[in-house]
Amino acid sequence: MVEFLQFTFNGVVTGAIYALVGVGLTLGIGVARFFNFAQGQFVVLAGFVGYTLAQHGTPFWLSLPLTFVVVALLGVALQMLFDKFARNDTLVVFLGTLGAGIVIEYSAVLIWGANQQQITPPFTGNLNVGGVIMPTAQLMLMAISAPVILGLYILLARTDLGRRLRACAENPEISGLLGVDVGRTMRLAVALGSGLAALAGVLLGSLFPFDAFGGSTLLIKGIAVALVGGLGSVNGAVVCGLSLGLIETYATAYGLPIGIYTFGSEWQDAYAFVLMIAVLAWRPRGLFRGTGEL
C-alpha cells in the first residue's frame, strides 16, 4: 500500500507539470486560435532563464514572476508576428512556430551549452508521511501550481475579463461587434498561456536536471492534455494532466499488460499518444466541453 501511495504522489507531481503546460496550450489554442508549436521550447527556455537568474543571485521567488513576464512577452511577440503576416494561414503558423521552436532550442545550446543544468530549489530535504517520501521541492511545486490554476479558473469563471476571454473563444466576430477588443483579449490569452509554460519550466528545472532538447516531449504531452481535456477547458486540462501523470507513473512502475505483452517504462512517452487517440476517437471535442475548436 505504501508503494502504491508513493507512486501516486510521484504521478500527481508529474501530472501537475503536464497540467500547467496543457492549460497554457488550451488557452492559446482555444481562445486565441494560436497553435504554438514552440510551447515546449518555451518551457525549456524558462528553465534556462530561471537558472541564469539563480546564478546571478536572484531569489527563487523573484525568478518565477520575472520568467513569467519574459516568456509571456515572447509568446505575445510571436503571436503578433504571425497575426500580421499569416492571419488565416494555419500551415504558415504551424511551420513558423515549429521553426521558432527549433531556433529557440539551438539558441539555448549556443548560450547555455548542451549539458544538463538544474535550478537549486529553495527547499531541500524530505517529509516522511506514513512511509511515503515527499521531497519538499515537489511539495513546493504543488503548493505553487494549485493556487495558480485555481486563480486562473476563478479569473475565467467569475470576472469580466474571464467572460471576455470565453466570449472570444466562442465567437470572436460577434464578440468584436459587441465591443470586446478581440485582438487585445487574444494577446492576453497567449500571454497567460506562455506564462504558465514559464512557471512549468522553472518548477520543473528545480526538480530535475534539464537540457535544451526536452521541449518536444513536453509539447506532445501538452497537446494531448489540451485536446483530450477539450480546447479552452481549464478543468479538462487539469484533470487530463493529472491523469496522464498517474497513468505514466503506474504503467512505468507496474507495467501495462495487454495480451501476452507488458508495456513498461520504455513506452512511457507513448501513453500520451494512446490516450489522445482513444479519447478523440470517442469524443472528438474532448472529455470536457471546451469553448474553442481546433
Side-chain angles (χ1 to χ4, degrees), residues 102-123:
I102 295 173
V103 170
I104 292 172
E105 188 172 283
Y106 283 94
S107 296
V109 174
L110 289 174
I111 297 171
W112 290 285
N115 296 327
Q116 290 187 327
Q117 308 291 352
Q118 186 170 4
I119 302 169
T120 302
F123 302 111

Side-chain angles (χ1 to χ4, degrees), residues 2-175:
V2 172
E3 182 183 69
F4 175 78
L5 292 175
Q6 182 70 65
F7 291 139
T8 300
F9 173 76
N10 295 341
V12 170
V13 171
T14 303
I17 294 292
Y18 293 162
L20 284 174
V21 178
V23 169
L25 273 169
T26 204
L27 284 174
I29 304 170
V31 178
R33 271 72 170 177
F34 180 59
F35 205 141
N36 184 8
F37 270 84
Q39 188 86 344
Q41 281 74 23
F42 278 14
V43 177
V44 174
L45 176 63
F48 281 117
V49 172
Y51 170 78
T52 301
L53 290 173
Q55 293 296 104
H56 287 81
T58 305
F60 181 83
W61 305 111
L62 182 58
S63 70
L64 284 172
L66 289 175
T67 307
F68 184 102
V69 171
V70 169
V71 179
L73 290 175
L74 177 61
V76 171
L78 199 62
Q79 189 257 352
M80 292 177 67
L81 176 67
F82 286 105
D83 188 55
K84 181 176 179 63
F85 294 105
R87 183 180 298 271
N88 295 314
D89 196 330
T90 306
L91 180 60
V92 172
V93 174
F94 162 66
L95 294 176
T97 55
L98 188 64
I102 295 173
V103 170
I104 292 172
E105 188 172 283
Y106 283 94
S107 296
V109 174
L110 289 174
I111 297 171
W112 290 285
N115 296 327
Q116 290 187 327
Q117 308 291 352
Q118 186 170 4
I119 302 169
T120 302
F123 302 111
T124 57
N126 303 312
L127 293 179
N128 189 322
V129 181
V132 178
I133 305 301
M134 299 181 178
T136 52
Q138 295 185 358
L139 291 173
M140 175 200 69
L141 180 149
M142 291 191 289
I144 293 173
S145 59
V148 166
I149 293 174
L150 178 60
L152 180 62
Y153 172 79
I154 294 172
L155 171 71
L156 291 172
R158 305 292 183 185
T159 68
D160 183 63
L161 174 58
R163 285 188 285 272
R164 291 200 300 271
L165 286 166
R166 287 185 284 117
C168 288
E170 289 283 0
N171 196 312
E173 290 79 14
I174 293 179
S175 298

Side-chain angles (χ1 to χ4, degrees), residues 14-15 17-26 218-231 233-245 272-273 275-276 286-288:
T14 303
I17 294 292
Y18 293 162
L20 284 174
V21 178
V23 169
L25 273 169
T26 204
L218 288 169
L219 172 66
I220 289 169
K221 295 181 180 181
I223 291 172
V225 167
L227 292 179
V228 171
L231 294 178
S233 172
V234 173
N235 293 346
V238 172
V239 171
C240 291
L242 294 175
S243 299
L244 179 59
F273 280 111
L275 178 66
M276 180 170 62
L287 292 177
F288 291 73

